[in-house]
């Protein structure tokens, strides 16, 4: 989602060079969406991570385009973000343009681009911090965790309409965040080892002190501002970017941001996943004033763990009913209900794509079968790159 021009106070807070700052919540249109993808930069011969992101970003600077590109914390990563979107077809078209443009730029510098939540065999200690003060500040603050954070996620922004509604929608979307972990899971390997998880990436974020979810007693934007101010007074946070929550408000955009997904192996998967999140938010918005009945942190953590470990073949405990359901069954129930109410003419195509992601164990299942058939870690990285390209 295209970034607004940040006030100097916020830019300084984000970089750690100024006092804590939380902007006012920007008015937005309910149900608009934006998609951010963190992409791997790979060597075209070895398929190891390749620190060529600065060169690719310079080439992308020359392109006129509706989307934006930015560095990420290490030089083997780059981030792309769409403009404001309103439909599945619009999202799929722009993401394909992003894929083709970035892949061409990568080819010019001897690199390839890939989706995926975690590179299968890279070593965290070999990564280089991107030369930007914000990232150097992160390295000083978090030590080795900064390089360990060479994982690749998809973030979905959904327009919330108002500040108070953003907090309520955060609470509701958090309930279903584990379903998105399962659907997007495609990182079964970590640091050269089979992890035992469908999404190894999901376990990395938990090492950061402000990971987790929106506290259940935060019920309004003023509650959140008070909460922010209290943490800032202790030096715990300096800006909204210090919250590594699974779903967080993003006041400068006027959105809520779902942050749990592995970067999909194909752009069309990203479009479908984003539209699922958008349709859920539109449905929640119609239930004015209603809040989740069960905000148990332990229940959420258990759902999250099962989704990361077992992917679409796992189970989910519905926080509202208490019923234990197969994750695929819970997702299909959502899609059937949302399909009946959606006004997006492309949403039936999104549902078809999501059905593909639930087939045969999803993306993680496809990669695991490749390993079981004798493929090595390099082959796994090559396969992911070919799927993206």
């Amino acid at each position: 989602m295209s970034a607004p021009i940040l006030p100097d106070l916020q830019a300084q807070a984000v970089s750690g060079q100024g006092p804590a700052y939380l902007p006012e919540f920007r008015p937005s249109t309910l149900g608009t969406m934006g998609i951010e993808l963190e992409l791997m930069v790979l060597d075209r011969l070895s398929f190891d991570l390749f620190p060529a992101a600065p060169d690719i970003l310079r080439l992308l600077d020359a392109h006129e385009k509706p989307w934006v590109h930015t560095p990420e914390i290490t030089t083997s990563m780059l981030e792309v973000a769409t403009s404001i979107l309103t439909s599945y077809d619009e999202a799929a078209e722009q993401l394909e343009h992003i894929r083709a443009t970035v892949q061409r730029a990568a080819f010019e510098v001897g690199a390839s681009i890939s989706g995926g939540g975690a590179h299968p065999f890279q070593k965290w200690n070999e990564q280089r911090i991107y030369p930007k003060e914000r990232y150097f500040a992160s390295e000083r603050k978090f030590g080795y965790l900064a390089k360990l954070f060479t994982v690749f996620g998809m973030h979905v922004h959904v327009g919330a309409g108002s500040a108070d509604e953003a907090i309520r929608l955060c609470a509701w979307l958090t309930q279903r965040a584990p379903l998105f972990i399962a659907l997007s899971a495609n990182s079964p390997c970590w640091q050269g080892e089979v992890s035992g998880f469908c999404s190894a990436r999901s376990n990395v974020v938990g090492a950061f002190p402000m990971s987790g979810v929106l506290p259940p007693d935060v019920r309004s934007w003023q509650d959140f501002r008070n909460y922010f101010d209290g943490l800032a007074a202790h030096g715990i946070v300096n800006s909204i970017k210090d919250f590594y929550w699974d779903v967080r408000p993003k006041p400068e955009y006027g959105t809520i941001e779902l942050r749990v997904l592995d970067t999909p192996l194909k752009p069309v998967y990203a479009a479908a996943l984003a539209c699922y999140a958008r349709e859920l938010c539109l449905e929640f918005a119609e239930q004015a004033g209603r809040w989740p009945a069960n905000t148990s942190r332990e229940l959420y953590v258990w759902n999250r763990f099962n989704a990361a470990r077992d992917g679409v073949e796992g189970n989910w405990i519905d926080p509202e009913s208490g019923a234990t359901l197969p994750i695929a069954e819970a997702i299909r129930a959502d899609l059937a209900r949302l399909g009946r109410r959606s006004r997006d003419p492309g949403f039936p195509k999104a549902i078809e794509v999501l059905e593909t992601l639930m087939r045969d164990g999803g993306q993680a299942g496809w990669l695991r079968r490749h390993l079981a058939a004798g493929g090595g870690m390099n082959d796994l990285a090559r396969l992911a790159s070919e799927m993206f390209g």
Side-chain angles (χ1 to χ4, degrees), residues 161 175 224 229:
Q175 299 274 295
F224 180 73
D229 289 344

Side-chain angles (χ1 to χ4, degrees), residues 4 13-15 34 56 68 199 219 230-231 273 275 278 302 319 328 336 354:
V14 168
S15 68
I56 296 170
V68 298
S199 175
R219 290 284 185 112
L231 294 173
L273 288 160
C275 287
R278 172 181 182 255
W302 183 247
L354 296 173

